[in-house]
Amino acid sequence: MNLVFALIKKDYLIDFRQKYPIVGIALYIFATIYISYLSFGNLINPSTWNALLWIVLLFASVTGIAKGFIQEENSSLYYYFLTSPSQILIAKFLYNGLYQLLIVGLTFVLFSIFLGNPVENLPLFMLNFSIGALGMGAAFTLISAISSKTGNQSTMMALLGFPVVIPVLIMAVSNSRNIIFGAGLTDIMGNLLTLISIIVIIIALSFILFPYSRRN
Amino acid sequence: MNFLIRTNWWKWLTMFLLTYTVVGGLLFTVPRLPILNETIRNLHFHVPMWFGMIILFAFSVFHSVKYLSSKDLVQDLFSKELINVGVLFGILGIITGMIWANFTWGEPWSNDPKQNAAAVALLIYFAYMILRGSLSDDHQKARISAIYNIFAFAVLIPLLFILPRLTDSLHPGSGGNPGFNAYDLDSNLRLVFYPAVVGWTFLGSWIAGIMIRVSLYQFKKDSE
Amino acid sequence: MNKFWLTISFLILNIRAFAQEEVEMADQFRGEGKIYVVVAVILIILFGIFFTLIRLDKKITRLEKEVRNKEKE
C-alpha cells in the first residue's frame, strides 16, 4: 500500500513540479468553455448545455489522462521493476480519479460562470457527473497504457478511447439530462446502477489485462 | 477454433443451408404484416449478418485470450482474420440495414439503438485495425491488439443490452412495429431463420478459414 | 413472468388482428411465377461464390502440402 501511495505521489510531483500539464488542462477547459460562451452567448437551452458540458469533460479527460502512461515510457521505467502491475494500476486509477474530480470541479464552476446553470438538484447532478467522469477515467486508464506503446500516442488515445467510453458516456449523459429536466434519485437509480456495474466491469478487466501490456 | 482450418464437413453444410435459405426464404409463405410487407424476407439475409458478426468477434476474442496465455503468434493470426471477416459482415449488415430502413422507416439512419450499437461496434474494430497498423513488432502488435480486442468486446456486449433500454427502438417488437417475438409462433419463418444464421456464420468462418491459412502460409514462409 | 406472457399473448392478438386486414404483398408477382427467376439468379450467384471458395480452399491445401513436404526434406 505504501508503494501505491509512493507511486501516486510520484505522479503528483511530476505534474506539479513541471506545472504545465495541470495548467495546460485548466487552460484547455477554460478555452473551450470561453469559445462556447462566445459562440452561444446567453441563448443556451438545457439540452445543449448538458451536451456541451459532457463534450468539454470528454476532451479534457482524454488530454488529461493521455499523458498518464506516456511519461512513464522514458523517464521512470525503473519503478516498474520494484512494483507489481496491480500496484501501478491501483495508483493510476486513484491518481486519474483525483484528476477527473479536479476536472469535473473546474469544468462545472467555469460552466456555471459563463453559460449559466440550469440544474436544480445540484447534489444528485454532481454525483452523476462525478461517477460518469470517474468511469471515463477508468476506461481511459487502460487505453492510455495501450496507446503509450504506439508511435502516435495522443491520436491513438482518442481513436481507441472514444468507442470504448461510449457505454459509460451514454448512461451518464442520459442521466444528467433527466436530472436537469427534474428527475429524482429514484428515477435514475436503475441507470445509475447499470453505469456503476459497467465501470466495475471496466476496472476488473483492466486488472486482468494490464499485466499483459507490460510484459515483453 | 482449429476446426476452421482442419475440417471440411461443415463447408458442405454451409452450402446446403445457404441454398435452403435462399429457396425457403424467398418461396415459403410469410406472415402478412404492415410496414414490413414483403420485405420481411430480409430477416433471413440482413439479420444473420449481425449474428454472424458478433459470433465471429466472439471467436476472435477467444483466440486473443489464447494468445495472451500462450504467446503463440498463430493465435494472433486467427484473431486478426476473424475480425476482418466480422467487420466485412458488419459493413454488409449496416448497408443492408440502411436500405431496409429506408423502405420501412422512411430514412436510412434514424437514431435507432440497434443501428447505433452497430456503428459503435464498427468504430471499435476500425480502431483495432488502425492500432494494429501502428505497431511494428509482431509480438507487441499481437499482445496490445489482443488486450484491446478483449477490452472492447467486453464493453461492447453490455452496450448491446443497455442501448435499447434508453431509447425507443424502431426494430421489430417495439415502437409500433410488429414484433419478431411473435414469430416464435410462425414456424415458417423460424424454419428458415435459424438455419440461415448458422449458414451465414459458417460462410464467414469459411472465408476466415481460408484467410487464416493464407496468413499462416505467409507466416511460415517469412520465418524460414 | 406473468407480464412476459401477457406481452406475448398481446402480440399474438396483434398479429391476428394484422392478418385480418389486407396487407399489401407481392402476390401478383408470385402468382405469375416470376419469383422463380429471382431464386434462380440468386442461387447461381451463390453457387459461383461457393465454387470460388472451394477452389481457393483446394489451392491453399496444395500450398500447405508443399510447405509440409519441404519441411520433411
Side-chain angles (χ1 to χ4, degrees):
Chain A
M1 215 52 213
N2 277 336
L3 268 171
V4 172
F5 284 120
L7 283 170
I8 296 175
K9 203 181 164 197
K10 179 217 67 171
D11 278 344
Y12 164 82
L13 283 178
I14 289 177
D15 275 355
F16 280 84
R17 200 165 287 162
Q18 295 182 329
K19 287 217 177 54
Y20 78 88
I22 293 279
V23 179
I25 292 294
L27 210 61
Y28 188 96
I29 295 171
F30 176 77
T32 31
I33 294 175
Y34 196 69
I35 290 168
S36 327
Y37 164 72
L38 286 180
S39 44
F40 279 104
N42 286 324
L43 297 165
I44 191 160
N45 64 19
S47 285
T48 325
W49 187 87
N50 184 40
L52 263 181
L53 181 69
W54 282 98
I55 290 173
V56 171
L57 178 71
L58 176 65
F59 280 89
S61 32
V62 168
T63 12
I65 293 173
K67 53 164 202 47
F69 278 94
I70 292 164
Q71 63 195 203
E72 308 272 327
E73 282 296 291
N74 38 35
S75 60
S76 46
L77 265 175
Y78 65 92
Y79 272 98
Y80 278 27
F81 297 102
L82 300 172
T83 49
S84 74
S86 52
Q87 283 168 327
I88 294 177
L89 197 61
I90 293 173
K92 282 289 175 202
F93 271 142
L94 291 176
Y95 187 72
N96 285 345
L98 290 176
Y99 217 92
Q100 285 294 87
L101 291 180
L102 200 78
I103 293 175
V104 160
L106 192 63
T107 314
F108 193 76
V109 168
L110 287 175
F111 241 78
S112 310
I113 293 171
F114 286 104
L115 294 162
N117 186 354
V119 184
E120 277 163 25
N121 194 346
L122 198 60
L124 188 59
F125 183 85
M126 287 313 280
L127 176 73
N128 176 61
F129 196 36
S130 315
I131 290 178
L134 291 178
M136 269 189 226
F140 283 143
T141 304
L142 185 70
I143 296 297
S144 77
I146 291 177
S147 59
S148 71
K149 306 281 182 209
T150 65
N152 195 347
Q153 291 122 340
S154 45
T155 320
M156 286 313 285
M157 179 80 193
L159 199 66
L160 299 176
F162 286 165
V164 170
V165 91
I166 282 175
V168 173
L169 211 56
I170 281 177
M171 300 303 294
V173 171
S174 78
N175 271 350
S176 109
R177 213 183 116 89
N178 289 341
I179 294 168
I180 290 177
F181 287 111
L185 182 62
T186 44
D187 300 320
I188 62 156
M189 205 55 204
N191 279 359
L192 205 60
L193 286 179
T194 321
L195 175 60
I196 292 172
S197 44
I198 294 173
I199 297 174
V200 170
I201 293 176
I202 288 175
I203 292 177
L205 267 174
S206 305
F207 274 105
I208 297 169
L209 294 173
F210 179 66
Y212 291 104
S213 77
R214 301 197 311 146
R215 219 172 284 158
N216 275 312
Chain B
M1 304 288 145
N2 268 330
F3 80 90
L4 286 179
I5 58 168
R6 293 276 157 76
T7 56
N8 275 328
W9 59 269
W10 52 276
K11 290 169 185 168
W12 298 103
L13 189 66
T14 311
M15 289 188 268
F16 171 74
L17 285 177
L18 286 181
T19 311
Y20 169 75
T21 302
V22 168
V23 175
L26 291 177
L27 293 182
F28 287 3
T29 46
V30 291
R32 293 170 165 262
L33 300 176
I35 305 177
L36 291 170
N37 302 345
E38 195 78 40
T39 64
I40 196 172
R41 293 175 194 278
N42 275 352
L43 173 73
H44 311 308
F45 304 98
H46 159 73
V47 184
M49 290 294 129
W50 294 120
F51 279 73
M53 177 186 86
I54 293 292
I55 294 170
L56 290 169
F57 285 165
F59 283 177
S60 153
V61 168
F62 172 77
H63 282 287
S64 285
V65 172
K66 259 183 127 178
Y67 172 78
L68 286 183
S69 62
S70 71
K71 304 287 169 206
D72 180 7
L73 278 176
V74 171
Q75 302 298 332
D76 180 53
L77 288 181
F78 271 80
S79 183
K80 180 186 82 180
E81 300 297 357
L82 283 166
I83 281 180
N84 280 340
V85 180
V87 167
L88 171 73
F89 269 46
I91 293 171
L92 290 178
I94 225 163
I95 295 172
T96 52
M98 273 155 77
I99 295 171
W100 197 8
N102 204 16
F103 172 78
T104 48
W105 308 333
E107 51 189 354
W109 200 271
S110 36
N111 200 26
D112 176 81
K114 289 197 171 97
Q115 280 186 324
N116 286 338
V120 174
L122 284 181
L123 264 184
I124 287 179
Y125 285 97
F126 285 143
Y128 172 90
M129 287 170 168
I130 293 172
L131 175 66
R132 286 193 76 93
S134 72
L135 294 160
S136 48
D137 176 64
D138 272 352
H139 276 280
Q140 193 180 45
K141 182 191 276 183
R143 202 175 66 240
I144 299 294
S145 56
I147 293 171
Y148 187 67
N149 188 14
I150 298 169
F151 191 59
F153 189 75
V155 175
L156 179 67
I157 292 304
L159 186 72
L160 297 179
F161 291 99
I162 58 170
L163 269 178
R165 278 183 40 193
L166 290 175
T167 31
D168 203 21
S169 176
L170 290 167
H171 265 86
S174 48
N177 283 280
F180 279 165
N181 291 349
Y183 300 159
D184 288 341
L185 298 158
D186 194 282
S187 47
N188 270 345
L189 276 179
R190 206 167 39 162
L191 217 58
V192 183
F193 178 61
Y194 293 150
V197 169
V198 177
W200 288 110
T201 308
F202 272 168
L203 184 73
S205 319
W206 190 355
I207 299 171
I210 291 176
M211 284 160 74
I212 292 166
R213 288 160 76 185
V214 172
S215 297
L216 270 174
Y217 177 74
Q218 277 174 339
F219 177 67
K220 274 183 190 154
K221 228 174 177 190
D222 287 346
S223 54
E224 263 170 22
Chain C
M1 214 49 204
N2 262 336
K3 217 174 174 183
F4 172 74
W5 287 115
L6 206 70
T7 326
I8 289 289
S9 48
F10 177 72
L11 279 168
I12 299 170
L13 288 178
N14 252 351
I15 294 293
R16 292 269 158 80
F18 285 141
Q20 276 157 15
E21 294 160 24
E22 203 41 59
V23 178
E24 191 192 329
M25 297 291 244
D27 287 326
Q28 204 198 345
F29 180 73
R30 282 166 189 286
E32 288 169 3
K34 283 178 185 157
I35 186 70
Y36 299 109
V37 180
V38 180
V39 175
V41 167
I42 298 180
L43 279 183
I44 285 171
I45 292 175
L46 205 61
F47 287 149
I49 293 172
F50 290 155
F51 179 68
T52 317
L53 280 177
I54 293 173
R55 262 189 35 189
L56 275 174
D57 220 303
K58 291 221 167 107
K59 197 171 182 182
I60 189 72
T61 313
R62 204 168 60 231
L63 285 173
E64 278 168 348
K65 264 185 196 152
E66 271 172 29
V67 170
R68 226 172 292 146
N69 288 339
K70 249 186 210 165
E71 274 170 3
K72 271 179 200 162
E73 277 164 19

